[in-house]
Amino acid sequence: MMRHKDFFCSYNIEKCVITELDCSGLYNTGSLDSVVNINTQKPLVEDDYFHGLEISLKDSVFSIKNDLFCTVPVYYAVNNDLLFISSNPAKVLSKIEKQEIDHAGLWESILFSNCVFDRTPVKQLKQLPSMHQLIIVSGRIKVNKYFKIDFHECKESEVESVIEDIHIRLHEIFSKFKTSKYLIGVSGGLDSRLSLGYLNNSLKISPFTFCATENSLELKLSKQLCSNLGFTDPVTFLLSPKNYLKHKESLANFTAGQIGFHHSHILHCLSELNTSGSLKQISNYFTDAIFGWAVNTHSSNDFDSWSSKLKSVNYISDNVKEEIFKDINNVFADYSKDENFSCKDEYKYIFERNQKFHINLAFQQNRLCDTYLPYCDYRLLKLVLSLPLGVRSNKRISELLISKCGVEDVETISSRQMITGQSFSQKSGIKKVQDNLSFKATNGLTLLISKLTRGNVIYPNKYQCEAHYNLFHKIQSKGLIEEDLNFLEMRGILSTDQKKQIKKVSIRNGGVSSFFQLHSLVNYLRHM
């Protein structure tokens, strides 16, 4: 059962009065005459900047600011002289009389899997971007960035000491997980090895994992990892379409349709595991962002995949494209070539994409189980981002830290390998070629069988963790994708020609996510 884990605030702009402030579902400290801090729970360790939100009203100036990680999502809207703010967009929209679909927000979510900057799929609803504050002075609302990013590369002679400082910081953070029983999702990747390495055989840790079939390589490697490090065998969930559909409505309502329902399987796992409500969860979210998933070995400052993708799409009007480009430019407004980023994609992955996806998803998981984010730590982030690109790219820093924990080098599998199939095998020579060909052929066969059986038969593909192709063909065979496109056509968002072009989009290489995102959005907009 979903718990109340939200804050809500209403402010009378004309009278400069907070008419309601409810943060009883979240951890909160302080008072309005100074600052109210709101967070999902008490921070694990002291950090250089606050976590969560800060709300204040002083000398008739109202302000709310979020942290770098957007630990608590913020949605807001104005109706007459009242400002409504909440972590729950449905709560805000319940106070708004007029609600219209934002075409740019809709397409941003479909193309990029989240709305960009402050936009949402609803014109009257905005979201507060990372590191921003909303201020009301003399009746005027201003939203600006209050945080100055200052990450510069360390000297080559300092690299080893920086890595040691990162190791010490992680030890400090993970040493706090001793007082309660914790759940943790494990896989065959680097993130699981890293977290379990720092948790160091704790008997209070209960691992869990999920897969499409028992032939899954992820399942084999997660069991092997837990066994090698002295943890109990992970509880395993075999995922089926109903596991995803169970939380489809709630996930859409709590995120304004911005997180696709194909990401709701963890909610299913937590609802099954935490029936007593006494367990807590340690999340590996933000490891990809902080440890270099989007880092290039060499700097390529001017490229961003969002703009490139938008330019290649010919079924969106020029006016809508112009709005989307403005949002993209706002995200990169403070991006500097002088900072230690390899490209714009890395910057946006750390400061925009993760906040809208992983951290928001963790907030939703809090509704079922108190969820901790040990990798959302400013000191840790600043240390890692001071390392040279060669140390950070392809998550090499993760491997170095795993080695410091004394975890032996074993076979792993990463999300990037699963998507592209490039450098998939850890072998060399002809064995590497054989492995990569097997990977691509097996995935092709999986897609074919799921299509021919309308999603009812899941091929035992060892490389497949989740049966997304089956899920797609299941909802497509029921006519749901067609219904979604018809809805958008009736609302004047799509033309008949645009519908035809969208149907031609390939579901391979991650393209299937666009249809899941579309289905979640339409399902949300139908209930507006």
Side-chain angles (χ1 to χ4, degrees), residues 275-403:
T275 53
S276 67
S278 62
L279 298 178
K280 300 177 182 180
Q281 179 190 201
I282 301 169
S283 174
N284 290 324
Y285 289 158
F286 210 67
T287 47
D288 275 348
I290 198 169
F291 293 129
W293 189 88
V295 175
N296 293 330
T297 307
H298 302 289
S299 180
S300 53
N301 287 297
D302 295 327
F303 176 80
D304 88 85
S305 58
W306 278 348
S307 296
S308 178
K309 187 172 186 176
L310 186 58
K311 289 174 184 176
S312 70
V313 173
N314 57 10
Y315 48 79
I316 300 177
S317 71
D318 290 340
N319 288 339
V320 171
K321 278 190 175 183
E322 185 178 346
E323 289 297 308
I324 296 174
F325 276 125
K326 285 180 182 177
D327 290 341
I328 293 173
N329 290 335
N330 279 329
V331 169
F332 295 122
D334 289 341
Y335 174 79
S336 171
K337 295 181 180 181
D338 295 329
E339 304 287 348
N340 194 25
F341 299 107
S342 64
C343 57
K344 286 184 174 180
D345 272 4
E346 180 194 358
Y347 177 91
K348 73 127 183 279
Y349 193 68
I350 296 173
F351 300 111
E352 170 79 9
R353 171 60 181 151
N354 263 268
Q355 285 75 356
K356 302 284 180 65
F357 173 39
H358 279 134
I359 310 306
N360 195 331
L361 191 54
F363 186 82
Q364 308 315 322
Q365 291 167 14
N366 254 298
R367 302 181 188 280
L368 291 165
C369 181
D370 287 353
T371 298
Y372 289 84
L373 296 162
Y375 296 100
C376 287
D377 183 81
Y378 179 78
R379 289 186 193 176
L380 184 64
L381 179 64
K382 189 164 186 176
L383 284 167
V384 175
L385 291 185
S386 72
L387 291 170
L389 300 182
V391 180
R392 286 163 39 217
S393 64
N394 295 315
K395 301 185 76 169
R396 182 169 172 245
I397 178 61
S398 294
E399 295 177 333
L400 294 172
L401 292 167
I402 288 167
S403 177

Side-chain angles (χ1 to χ4, degrees), residues 251-262:
L251 188 60
N253 288 335
F254 285 133
T255 65
Q258 291 182 84
I259 297 182
F261 75 99
H262 56 304

Side-chain angles (χ1 to χ4, degrees), residues 228-292:
N228 289 349
L229 296 183
F231 292 90
T232 58
D233 216 26
V235 176
T236 304
F237 291 88
L238 287 176
L239 299 177
S240 65
K242 68 177 182 180
N243 301 144
Y244 295 93
L245 298 172
K246 182 179 178 182
H247 292 282
K248 182 175 76 169
E249 303 283 345
S250 59
L251 188 60
N253 288 335
F254 285 133
T255 65
Q258 291 182 84
I259 297 182
F261 75 99
H262 56 304
H263 297 300
S264 66
H265 54 288
I266 301 281
L267 296 173
H268 164 70
C269 297
L270 293 176
S271 65
E272 294 291 314
L273 290 167
N274 194 28
T275 53
S276 67
S278 62
L279 298 178
K280 300 177 182 180
Q281 179 190 201
I282 301 169
S283 174
N284 290 324
Y285 289 158
F286 210 67
T287 47
D288 275 348
I290 198 169
F291 293 129

